[in-house]
Amino acid sequence: MFDSQKKISSRDVLLLACIMGGVVLLFHHLAQGLNYNWDWSVIPGYIARFDSESGNWRAGLLTQGLLVTLRLSLWSILLALLAGTIMGMWRVSPRPLLRMISSSYVGLVRNIPPLVLIFIFYFFLGDQIMQATGITELSYSLNDSSSPVLTTLFGPVEQLPAFLSGVLTMALFEGAYITEIVRAGIESIDKEQWEASAALGFNRRNQLIHIVLPQAFSRSLPPLAGQFISTIKDSSIVSVISIQELTFAGQELMSATYRTFEIWSLVIAMYFLLTFPCSIAVRELEKKMNSHRGSHH
């Protein structure tokens, strides 16, 4: 076992200085080799801008894209968690049909490239679902000023069908991975707990709800949290179906301004600001769970 409290030695400081020096030299060499005229003066306007007509500050294009990414990730995570939990329970069901359905879902989704899955769902299924549920007509009949709650939750109303198609596709894709995490969590529960709850008169549904799933989710929290971070990063792929999330906004601005490196540097920083706090939260969660388990040993 490594001693996490061990102090940093002079050798560590020297190694860190060498690494940082190497990184600085690499970036300096790249900057010289690119022969690129850096100009950061236009970037602040893409984060926030002053609207002279209303006299208020407005979110810039990249900030608007960041908000779409945030909404897309949150709704995708919620739906993927629901789908993954149901399919995870079906994976360990005693009924062969349910096991076959969930196994087919996981096998199918995990063996199709996500980009292909997005095209298939968006062009062949998403449009049909949106029309059948009346969401397409609803988006035509409303506007942002008349439906502020809808706009806050899902973004601009005119983009609602495309946004929901993206959410469903992301949930379908991420749900397959969450299914396996939930399955592994359920299978990690000791057989004696199933037998003891059965002896107390619990049927299988009550065993899952009251005994097994709470413990399974507790044990699966670190991989689930890691999957949530992956969902945020994977959300950039829906830019191919013109959902105006952060990557799409970056592509549009790059095409319009040719400020390639400045814009993508800012896009990277924004994704980092979204995912890094989540990574820290996951690390703290793992520490807390490890200390909790250690106190019971």
Side-chain angles (χ1 to χ4, degrees), residues 2 22 26 40 44 51 72 79 86 101 133 148 153 156 169 186-187 198 207 244-245 248 259 268 273 279:
F2 294 102
L26 176 64
W40 292 94
D51 187 356
L72 186 69
L79 286 181
I86 293 172
I101 292 172
T133 54
L153 292 176
T169 309
I186 293 174
E187 289 180 344
Q207 284 177 308
Q244 298 176 10
E245 45 75 63
F248 182 88
R259 293 288 94 195
I268 290 171
L273 286 175
S279 300

Side-chain angles (χ1 to χ4, degrees), residues 89-100:
M89 288 192 293
W90 286 9
R91 285 280 279 162
V92 295
S93 171
R95 298 172 63 182
L97 177 62
L98 297 182
R99 289 203 306 274
M100 187 185 71

